[in-house]
Every structure is written in structure tokens, then in C-alpha cells.
Amino acid sequence: MSKLYEEFQDYLTKINQYDHITTLLYWDMKTGTPRLGQPAHVDALTYFSTESFAMSTSEKMGEMLAGLTAPAEFDALTDTWKFIVKEMKRDYDRNKRIPADVYAAFVQAQAQAGNVWVEAKEKSDYSLFAPYLQKMIDLTIELTGYTDPDKEVYDALLDQHEAGMDSATIDGLFDTLKKELIPFVKEILARQKPENPALKGYFDPNCQRKVQDLLLDYIGFRKDAGSVGETEHPFTLNFSSKDVRLTNHYYDHNPLSSIFSAIHEGGHAIFEQNVNPEYDNTIAGSCRYMGLHESQSRFYENILGRNRNFWLPIYDKIGELLPPFQDIPLEDFYREINYVKNSLIRVNADEVTYCFHIILRYEMEKAIFRDHVPVSDLPALWNEKMQEYLQITPQDEANGILQDMHWSGGDFGYFPSYLLGSIYDGMLLDTLQEELGDVNELLKTGKIGEITAWLNQKIHWYGSTRKPKEAIMAVCGREVSAEPLVRYFKQKYSEIYKL
Ligand code: ZN
């Protein structure tokens, strides 16, 4: 161990303490802080994250990274630390260019916009949110000008969420989906039977919590390294692989929402819990690629969770925990969770029409950052695209443009990650079946542990050390393609709808 390396480790430990507090404040703000206590939390969070940012972009950090990337020091590092140092140097050079006051303004605007968005959504009034959205857009453009001066803004944003992705690649993938799925959904809808009334009625939220716990345990979420909180919008965050937290919500007339949110967030959490623990508290230790992350949550939620066989070994148990399920035949439940219909809300959409919800948002973001469509025109553009892809128009803004929190946090370029995740899933499913055999058999016989172990070994263990395209190439042996996902949809839904 060189002296410089030791000094660097000490410095990282200090930064981690600030980051730990920032994460904890964020968790508390979302799960426990009362409304009037929020501003003080926002101040504290801004303080700690600005301190961490200042240390990460300090002259001292710059000198240490320059020293560690010089051949004499670099060659002595382990492969893991070579990756970490290289990535940190890249982040450092990018972040160093951001003036501290611009960064602080962004963090503050983010917190404010987040709070205003909640109110605007409650009142279904986009005009309250519009000025804050404008501010987030302006600050995002400004920040990107510092971090990625050579990149077009939207491509820079895509790359920030899914390293190595750009709009040319995504255009190609999404065009394939549009070409194949628009006519396919029309065929399905022509065959659609009336809505299934099976899941109507009252479902005790306390019983839903028990079902959630059963599901999390079943798919492999470890309780000694994780916990569950309650928020309106479910999410997952992690301190390290040993402390991963997720949230859920419980609607007493809609048990599917908590069930599928649990499986989805559980997928994210299982990823984080199974990263090589050597990477804890480093940038390698948590998956930084949103598409790759979503590929895991969506693999559990859709590829496994919307498969009939997933439920066979546990369906009776669910009936014991949530008694109304005793009167719902598994076949009705299966139909319900794969009921394809054009709907307003992304998070409630079936897995096929979900693609259109993302394509719409991707095109909206291109309109914002490429065509500079003014924020006042966005609701109309939203409604126009809803008509184009889903043939419905929202009755109000809460169920339209205000439904997602992402833009309030400045998370532009995030939405495509969800669909990229599903695209990777089509490919991962092919490879998993080549290596482990028929997924239906595995699920039917309760061998979900084998699937989780496979994902642990193929994807999770590597954390951030492989970029998404690299990870997919390493596991599947081919370039990213939307064809396996299309094939999966066609096979599954042709059977369900007898096409
Ligand atoms: Zn997710």
C-alpha cells in the first residue's frame, strides 16, 4: 500500500460519512418527516451533499487522482481499484467544471420542485409546477454544459443515466418496438374480452403487507440487509450491500399495485444486496446504470412475476394471508395481471402497452431539449402523443403530464432506461433458458432461487464495473437488440389472446 493510496482511502471514508447522512436524510424525508419539518431537512440535505460534492471536487482530490492515475501508482492497484480510480477521475474532471453555486442551486431547486410537484399533482394543476419545471430544465442544460461540453444535451443526459447509450441507438431499438407492437396491440385489443371483475373489492392493507413480505422473501430479498418503508411512490435506495431499503404503497381496492411494486423494488434491492461487498462505499458498489438496474427490477416484475408459473408454488399461501384471493382462481388472476389495455398511467400499464408510455416520454424529452418546446405547450403535446400511441386523452393533468415525479428531480433522460431494461430482459431470458432450461419449469417447481443465483452471478456481482452494453455482451454474447423482447411478447400474448 503506498502512502498516497492510504491517504486516498482515508479521504474517501470521510466523503462516505457525508453521503451516508445525505442518504439517511433523504430516506427520512420520504418516509417519516412531517410537511412542516421538510424545509429544515432540505437545508440539511443541501448542506451535507454540497460538502460531499466540495470534497469530491477539491484540489486535494484532484491531486490524489492525478497521482494515482500516474503509471507507477496505477500499475500497483488491483483491477477493481483501477476501475474505481479511472471512473472517479472521469467524474472529477466533469464535476470540477461545475461552479459550486450552480450545483447548490440545482440541489435546492430539485427539492423545491419535488415538493411543488406533489402539490400540483394533488390539485391537478400543471400551472403551479410549470415555472419549477422550467427552472429544472434550465439548470439541467446549464449543468450539462459544464459536465459534457462536447455532447448534445439530450445525448449527454441519456449517457448520464445509461452509460454508453445515445439517442441514435435508442431510436433504432424503439423504432423496432413501434413497428412490431403497434399492429400487435391492435390485434390484441380486437380480441379483448370485457374487463375481468375478479379483483374488485376490499383488500386489507395489513394483509397486503404480509403478502409483500412473503413475495420479497420468495424472490430472495434478504431482511438482515434490507427493510421496507411506506411512501406514495415506491423506490429503492441503498447505503451499501448490507443496508438496502425499499418502499411500497397499499391501496385497499387494488392489491396488484403493492404486489407488483414489491416485486419490482425487490428486484432493484436484490441487485444492490448482491454486489461484490468489496465494492461497498465505492462508485463500483452500487449499479450506476439505470437501464441495467431496471432490467433487474423488471425481470422480476414482468418476466417472472407475470408468468403463470411464478404463482403456482405460492398462490395458496397468498390466499391464506389475503383471504379474498381464496375466491380468485389463479387463471383469473393470471388474466388480470396480463390484461392488455390502453390506459393513462404508466406505472399501472400492462407490460406491452408500457412500451408506448416510455416512447411517449422519450419523445417529449427530445422535444424539450432538442426542439425547445416551451413548458406551457407540454401538456398539449402530451395529450397529442397519448392519442397517437394509446388512443386516449387524460381528463386532467394529474393523470396526464403530472403523473411522474422524474422531471421534478431533474431526472431527464431516465425514462428510456425502463424500456431499455425490458429490452435487455428479452435477451437475458433467452440466455437464462439456454443455460438453466425452461423458465416455466423452473418457476413451476419453485426453483426461483436458481434464477436469482444466476442473476446474482451474471449481473449483480459486478455492480458498476461493467457498462450496460458490456454486461449484455458478456452475458448474452450479442449486441443489444429489441428482437428477443418482441418475440417474448408475441409468444406470450398470442397464447393468452389466442391470436
Ligand atoms: Zn424501477
Side-chain angles (χ1 to χ4, degrees):
M1 283 311 126
S2 77
K3 205 164 159 285
L4 175 60
Y5 181 77
E6 274 175 32
E7 198 189 335
F8 179 62
Q9 293 292 342
D10 285 348
Y11 197 70
L12 289 188
T13 306
K14 282 191 192 126
I15 294 178
N16 281 330
Q17 304 301 349
Y18 284 104
D19 292 345
H20 195 94
I21 295 296
T22 307
T23 308
L24 188 58
L25 280 167
Y26 183 80
W27 173 258
D28 194 70
M29 266 174 76
K30 294 294 174 190
T31 56
T33 311
R35 191 173 62 85
L36 294 178
Q38 292 282 345
H41 266 53
V42 170
D43 287 348
L45 191 132
T46 306
Y47 173 81
F48 283 107
S49 66
T50 308
E51 282 299 304
S52 162
F53 185 74
M55 284 181 82
S56 310
T57 53
S58 67
E59 295 300 329
K60 187 178 162 72
M61 176 65 97
E63 282 161 23
M64 285 190 291
L65 287 170
L68 288 166
T69 45
E73 292 278 350
F74 192 74
D75 294 345
L77 297 174
T78 61
D79 283 351
T80 302
W81 280 95
K82 278 181 180 149
F83 172 84
I84 294 167
V85 165
K86 235 167 44 189
E87 282 291 292
M88 285 188 72
K89 176 94 170 70
R90 181 174 170 266
D91 285 357
Y92 176 84
D93 292 339
R94 288 156 56 100
N95 291 335
K96 186 67 193 157
R97 296 192 288 266
I98 305 174
D101 58 330
V102 175
Y103 180 74
F106 182 82
V107 175
Q108 191 136 33
Q110 208 174 24
Q112 284 169 342
N115 289 335
V116 173
W117 167 76
V118 172
E119 192 192 339
K121 190 180 169 187
E122 266 165 25
K123 295 182 176 156
S124 191
D125 185 353
Y126 174 79
S127 70
L128 292 177
F129 180 56
Y132 293 87
L133 176 59
Q134 184 66 59
K135 182 129 206 227
M136 290 316 293
I137 293 169
D138 294 343
L139 282 167
T140 299
I141 294 172
E142 190 178 353
L143 274 184
T144 311
Y146 292 115
T147 55
D148 301 87
D150 307 327
K151 273 204 179 108
E152 193 269 334
V153 176
Y154 194 53
D155 270 336
L157 294 170
L158 291 170
D159 185 72
Q160 283 168 21
H161 290 93
E162 189 70 346
M165 270 297 161
D166 53 42
S167 57
T169 310
I170 295 176
D171 282 345
L173 295 167
F174 287 7
D175 281 349
T176 301
L177 293 177
K178 280 204 263 186
K179 190 173 121 278
E180 298 285 343
L181 295 183
I182 289 173
F184 186 59
V185 168
K186 285 208 176 99
E187 262 186 86
I188 292 176
L189 294 180
R191 285 293 195 125
Q192 189 68 273
K193 296 216 175 89
E195 201 153 351
N196 188 341
L199 284 145
K200 300 273 187 285
Y202 177 78
F203 298 84
D204 185 343
N206 284 320
C207 299
Q208 291 190 44
R209 283 188 187 88
K210 288 182 190 153
V211 169
Q212 154 202 286
D213 292 345
L214 167 79
L215 288 168
L216 287 173
D217 185 52
Y218 187 62
I219 63 177
F221 174 76
R222 290 198 349 254
K223 275 210 209 73
D224 56 351
S227 63
V228 182
E230 183 169 348
T231 55
E232 169 68 17
H233 302 276
F235 65 89
T236 303
L237 65 68
N238 65 305
F239 292 86
S240 72
S241 63
K242 298 173 189 73
D243 187 351
V244 184
R245 305 187 187 184
L246 61 88
T247 66
N248 203 353
H249 55 204
Y250 314 92
Y251 303 137
D252 54 20
H253 284 79
N254 176 11
L256 294 184
S257 197
S258 72
I259 285 176
F260 282 94
S261 291
I263 301 175
H264 179 97
E265 299 306 328
H268 281 305
I270 288 170
F271 192 153
E272 295 293 345
Q273 288 184 330
N274 290 287
V275 174
N276 183 346
E278 269 181 37
Y279 304 163
D280 273 348
N281 297 317
T282 75
I283 53 169
S286 174
C287 176
R288 312 171 90 198
Y289 317 119
M290 296 307 113
L292 197 61
H293 228 310
E294 288 301 329
S295 80
Q296 298 309 291
S297 52
R298 299 177 65 72
F299 197 87
Y300 282 95
E301 178 191 351
N302 292 332
I303 306 282
L304 305 179
R306 292 182 204 278
N307 184 313
R308 180 193 281 112
N309 301 294
F310 174 90
W311 300 96
L312 277 174
I314 51 172
Y315 200 70
D316 286 347
K317 183 80 191 152
I318 288 176
E320 284 168 32
L321 297 173
L322 191 57
F325 269 69
Q326 290 167 13
D327 301 322
I328 305 166
L330 177 58
E331 207 48 39
D332 287 4
F333 175 70
Y334 177 64
R335 283 298 297 256
E336 181 75 19
I337 64 178
N338 291 295
Y339 190 84
V340 177
K341 83 170 182 220
N342 289 330
S343 62
L344 290 172
I345 306 293
R346 174 182 65 87
V347 295
N348 298 337
D350 62 89
E351 60 178 332
V352 191
T353 61
Y354 187 90
C355 302
F356 299 139
H357 288 268
I358 296 304
I359 290 169
L360 173 152
R361 284 156 179 76
Y362 173 65
E363 292 178 355
M364 292 286 293
E365 290 182 338
K366 285 205 289 187
I368 293 170
F369 291 99
R370 287 224 171 120
D371 310 331
H372 308 288
V373 171
V375 291
S376 54
D377 291 354
L378 294 177
L381 184 62
W382 179 283
N383 291 353
E384 205 179 286
K385 288 191 180 292
M386 282 299 291
Q387 266 302 328
E388 180 185 350
Y389 291 119
L390 293 150
Q391 294 86 51
I392 38 176
T393 299
Q395 296 307 304
D396 57 26
E397 287 164 339
N399 288 298
I401 191 164
L402 287 174
Q403 66 181 269
D404 297 304
M405 73 193 297
H406 302 59
W407 292 344
S408 73
D411 272 331
F412 303 102
Y414 191 123
F415 284 120
S417 310
Y418 296 110
L419 194 42
L420 288 170
S422 286
I423 289 169
Y424 303 156
D425 284 345
M427 303 180 70
L428 290 172
L429 177 63
D430 276 357
T431 307
L432 180 139
Q433 299 202 103
E434 277 162 28
E435 297 184 8
L436 296 185
D438 184 5
V439 73
N440 294 318
E441 273 312 306
L442 291 166
L443 288 174
K444 202 183 289 177
T445 48
K447 290 183 184 151
I448 189 160
E450 284 183 27
I451 298 175
T452 293
W454 188 85
L455 292 168
N456 287 167
Q457 185 204 338
K458 297 283 175 177
I459 301 282
H460 308 157
W461 181 254
Y462 295 90
S464 281
T465 58
R466 292 185 313 197
K467 305 251 159 81
K469 282 180 178 172
E470 255 176 81
I472 292 301
M473 181 55 87
V475 178
C476 306
R478 56 180 292 201
E479 299 287 344
V480 177
S481 156
E483 180 268 328
L485 179 67
V486 169
R487 181 158 34 81
Y488 157 80
F489 281 147
K490 290 201 171 170
Q491 227 166 2
K492 174 173 171 179
Y493 290 90
S494 296
E495 187 223 299
I496 295 176
Y497 287 99
K498 305 194 169 49
L499 299 177

